[in-house]
Amino acid sequence: MAGKPKLYYFDGRGKMESIRWLLAAAGVEFEEEFLETREQYEKLLQGGSLLFQQVPMVEIDGMKMVQTRAILSYIAAKYNLYGKDLMERALIDMYVGGTDDLMGFILMFPFLSAEDKEKQCAVIVQKATSRYFPAYEKVLKDHGQDFLVGNSFSWADVHLLEAILMVEEKKSDVLLGFPQLQAFKARISSIPTIKKFLEPGSQRKPVPDDKYVETVRRVLHMYYDMKAN
């Protein structure tokens, strides 16, 4: 019997958080090894575990997988969260790609100066409310189902809920004017595996703090934007 997936990353969100979300949504238990020192990172490099010299890295089914999108695609396919046919998979990829674009505005937020954070917060809310949330609001309204693709829970739903909650951390009432997304958030949050992941004590990581930022900078010698894919 295969062991639990093992995740190698920092004790914080970053690119690994979406992987945690998807594994949790699938009801899969996983282990984590947190990178806290440069020596740990160099050991992974020297051991050949990081194909492109980057983290996240996930050990799963005998593989040492890197590249976040590849890891997520594998997990989604393995646990039946990737649609029932090629067309549904294409839609899931499209929606996940859009959500990734929105998340990209948030990923580097913890590493910005206080002045730049204020500016970027406004950008995040503006992009969410003028470009991304209206698109998903329309998809849900036109589709008329509980989920984004087909009538089944998928990776696209998990990813969108993660993004919604991240934007709400910047502006709590950001979903005002988006009734479909409000209902979507409530539905997906009530799915048992998701509900469990949202409860205190789960492996979901909190909003990145100064300690997380300092650890990433120290381990990666300040080259976070170059070393995390």
Side-chain angles (χ1 to χ4, degrees), residues 184-195:
F184 172 86
K185 174 191 168 185
R187 281 196 305 273
I188 305 304
S189 296
S190 68
I191 291 172
T193 54
I194 297 291
K195 184 177 180 180

Side-chain angles (χ1 to χ4, degrees), residues 9 15 34 43 52 60 111 116 130 132 173 179 192 215 221:
Y9 200 67
K15 284 285 189 176
F34 298 127
K43 184 177 179 181
F52 301 112
I60 184 170
F111 298 86
D116 287 339
S130 68
Y132 298 101
D173 63 352
T215 300
H221 286 179

Side-chain angles (χ1 to χ4, degrees), residues 12 26 49 83 89 120 205 222:
S49 295
R89 183 166 294 195
Q120 187 67 1
K205 304 306 175 193
M222 311 241 354

Side-chain angles (χ1 to χ4, degrees), residues 98-99 101-102 105 123-139 178 181:
T99 305
D101 290 346
L102 175 56
F105 292 104
V123 170
I124 291 165
V125 172
Q126 190 274 330
K127 295 292 185 182
T129 56
S130 68
R131 179 182 298 180
Y132 298 101
F133 288 174
Y136 291 120
E137 183 79 3
K138 185 177 188 302
V139 168
F178 298 103
L181 285 176

Side-chain angles (χ1 to χ4, degrees), residues 179-227:
Q180 296 288 336
L181 285 176
Q182 292 175 36
F184 172 86
K185 174 191 168 185
R187 281 196 305 273
I188 305 304
S189 296
S190 68
I191 291 172
T193 54
I194 297 291
K195 184 177 180 180
K196 181 179 179 181
F197 190 60
L198 292 174
E199 291 174 351
S202 79
Q203 287 169 287
R204 183 187 179 209
K205 304 306 175 193
V207 176
D209 58 13
D210 290 343
K211 180 181 178 182
Y212 167 77
V213 170
E214 192 278 329
T215 300
V216 172
R217 292 191 184 281
R218 182 179 69 250
V219 172
L220 299 181
H221 286 179
M222 311 241 354
Y223 295 121
Y224 178 78
D225 57 332
M226 297 173 60
K227 292 295 187 180

